[in-house]
Amino acid sequence: MKNTVLSKLRNLDAYPKVNEDFFTRSLSGGIITLVSSLAILLLVFSEFRLYLHTVTETKLLVDTSRGETFRINFDVTFRAIPCSILSVDAMDISGEQHLDIKHDIIKKRINTNGDVIESKPDGIGAPKIEKPLQRHGGRLEQNETYCGSCFGAEQSDDDCCNSCEEVRDAYRRKGWAMTNADLIDQCKREGFFERIKEQEGEGCNVHGSLEVNRVAGNFHFAPGKTFHQSNIFFDDLMSVHKDSYNISHRINRLAFGEYFPGVVNPLDGGHWTHETSNGMYQYFIKVVPTIYTDIRGRTVKSNQYSVTEHFKDLEYISPNSQPGVFFYYDFSPIKDPIRVQKLIHLNGD
């Protein structure tokens, strides 16, 4: 029974073997075998590469989204502005302002060679208070609650300014420049000017992120804390060695939103050098909302951007203009959905 089944299977063989006595091997046959094998391997490899290949499909749509926020990620190095006087401010056309932002920002003190001297989150580290001056004029005694004077910038009788930073904030709310810091008890105790003097000749690397409204606005890096007066923005250290403000800078990274494969940020790695002082460097950025969908259907909402640049020498414009590096951004009304998908290839098409 078994032999009968095997015999029937042999009869089904469509490729009967030729007895070795009836064929010969030749050089031409070997060459043909080699060439055909290479051709088969090449075709298999080519088809496999085609199978793995993806294509990027882009479309332009009208952007109708409203009321959202987005994140700006930055890493900027200033070779001649110390961290002690460098501030980050942001504002937009809706009227929202964030001055001297410290949250999610890290500053690194660097020397003239670019080596890091110190790195810490901005705003961390409080001075030691020993017998500070009370608002009523006397010195702080034991078991007494400290309430420092705001030196005329109080908004109510209960206001206290317990640090140089709080005095600066009170001055800023009043629209006053802080020109008398050497006479303010809090600033003298904390060594405000000594700290500035100690860091003279240093630079600063500042990196972090900002969460802002998804409307046109700007953010900027400037020496001193910005204050607002008569619709004009000034800095509160305009009297402190203003002639030494050199805004030469390098943008290590600037991104509007999350990273996605293939994104190109045109300002990454860009640097600008200005040998003289008192300048205002401006970047005008057009942000294009982008939705990236990968081959597995995962979606990343981000942005791309284009940019133009402009420099103003403050010697030839208003003397009250603020030196610094300003990024003005606006949004394109067009959204750019990007989808990555497999390339479908049909033989004969």
Side-chain angles (χ1 to χ4, degrees):
M1 180 70 180
K2 182 178 179 181
N3 292 334
T4 304
V5 173
L6 294 176
S7 177
K8 289 183 178 180
L9 285 175
R10 288 193 196 96
N11 293 332
L12 292 175
D13 186 2
Y15 306 97
K17 305 299 182 292
V18 180
N19 193 300
E20 290 187 3
D21 294 336
F22 298 99
F23 67 82
T24 59
R25 303 180 185 274
S26 65
L27 178 61
S28 59
I31 293 175
I32 292 174
T33 301
L34 181 61
V35 170
S36 60
S37 299
L38 290 175
I40 292 171
L41 287 175
L42 182 62
L43 289 173
V44 170
F45 179 72
S46 175
E47 290 296 322
F48 186 67
R49 281 191 59 193
L50 189 61
Y51 170 75
L52 295 179
H53 179 67
T54 59
V55 293
T56 302
E57 176 187 333
T58 61
K59 292 188 282 188
L60 296 178
L61 302 175
V62 176
D63 184 19
T64 59
S65 56
R66 292 292 181 272
E68 298 178 355
T69 61
F70 75 106
R71 185 172 292 272
I72 302 173
N73 303 297
F74 58 85
D75 183 346
V76 184
T77 300
F78 295 85
R79 69 175 194 177
I81 299 181
C83 291
S84 59
I85 63 173
L86 185 64
S87 67
V88 183
D89 309 313
M91 53 203 71
D92 59 43
I93 59 172
S94 69
E96 188 167 324
Q97 300 177 18
H98 302 277
L99 304 179
D100 196 26
I101 303 169
K102 298 182 182 296
H103 185 63
D104 291 335
I105 292 178
I106 294 178
K107 291 180 179 177
K108 297 179 182 178
R109 293 171 55 193
I110 59 175
N111 59 24
T112 54
N113 297 321
D115 300 322
V116 176
I117 301 172
E118 181 186 29
S119 175
K120 67 177 183 178
D122 197 13
I124 302 300
K128 183 179 181 181
I129 298 177
E130 293 183 2
K131 289 263 181 192
L133 185 67
Q134 290 279 52
R135 187 175 61 180
H136 54 66
R139 290 288 173 179
L140 179 66
E141 300 298 334
Q142 191 173 7
N143 299 324
E144 187 180 8
T145 302
Y146 175 51
C147 180
S149 172
C150 296
F151 298 89
E154 297 90 347
Q155 291 184 324
S156 70
D157 293 337
D158 297 327
D159 281 354
C160 300
C161 294
N162 296 341
S163 67
C164 184
E165 188 75 10
E166 291 180 3
V167 176
R168 293 176 69 192
D169 285 337
Y171 269 51
R172 178 178 55 80
R173 287 192 294 268
K174 284 284 189 179
W176 300 348
M178 193 173 184
T179 59
N180 60 339
D182 55 332
L183 303 177
I184 294 175
D185 180 69
Q186 292 91 323
C187 296
K188 287 192 293 184
R189 280 190 293 103
E190 297 173 13
F192 177 73
F193 275 100
E194 287 78 3
R195 189 165 66 250
I196 292 177
K197 188 174 181 179
E198 176 192 353
Q199 295 186 17
E200 280 188 0
E202 293 181 2
C204 186
N205 170 262
V206 53
H207 68 273
S209 60
L210 303 173
E211 188 80 23
V212 296
N213 294 323
R214 200 166 166 277
V215 295
N218 79 82
F219 67 98
H220 59 265
F221 303 88
K225 180 176 287 189
T226 301
F227 68 93
H228 180 266
Q229 188 178 59
S230 301
N231 296 321
I232 301 175
F233 288 90
F234 302 91
D235 73 79
D236 67 346
L237 297 177
M238 293 179 73
S239 62
V240 184
H241 57 73
K242 182 176 179 179
D243 290 340
S244 65
Y245 293 158
N246 186 318
I247 61 167
S248 298
H249 60 280
R250 175 183 175 85
I251 301 175
N252 304 304
R253 179 172 182 254
L254 180 64
F256 291 79
E258 297 182 43
Y259 169 82
F260 62 88
V263 64
V264 176
N265 297 317
L267 287 178
D268 285 4
H271 59 89
W272 185 84
T273 302
H274 188 54
E275 298 303 332
T276 60
S277 302
N278 291 350
M280 177 188 292
Y281 205 84
Q282 299 170 312
Y283 294 94
F284 298 93
I285 298 171
K286 179 65 74 172
V287 180
V288 181
T290 302
I291 300 177
Y292 176 86
T293 305
D294 66 14
I295 196 170
R296 297 178 180 176
R298 292 178 295 193
T299 297
V300 176
K301 291 185 178 181
S302 188
N303 301 279
Q304 303 176 84
Y305 66 91
S306 60
V307 62
T308 57
E309 307 170 23
H310 180 67
F311 172 73
K312 288 183 179 180
D313 193 327
L314 299 190
E315 294 182 4
Y316 305 107
I317 58 177
S318 170
N320 291 326
S321 296
Q322 182 182 8
V325 179
F326 293 73
F327 297 85
Y328 298 90
Y329 57 87
D330 196 2
F331 282 86
S332 168
I334 301 299
K335 182 185 295 185
D336 183 15
I338 300 176
R339 178 179 293 275
V340 178
Q341 57 187 10
K342 287 286 188 184
L343 177 64
I344 299 176
H345 177 73
L346 297 176
N347 292 327
D349 281 2

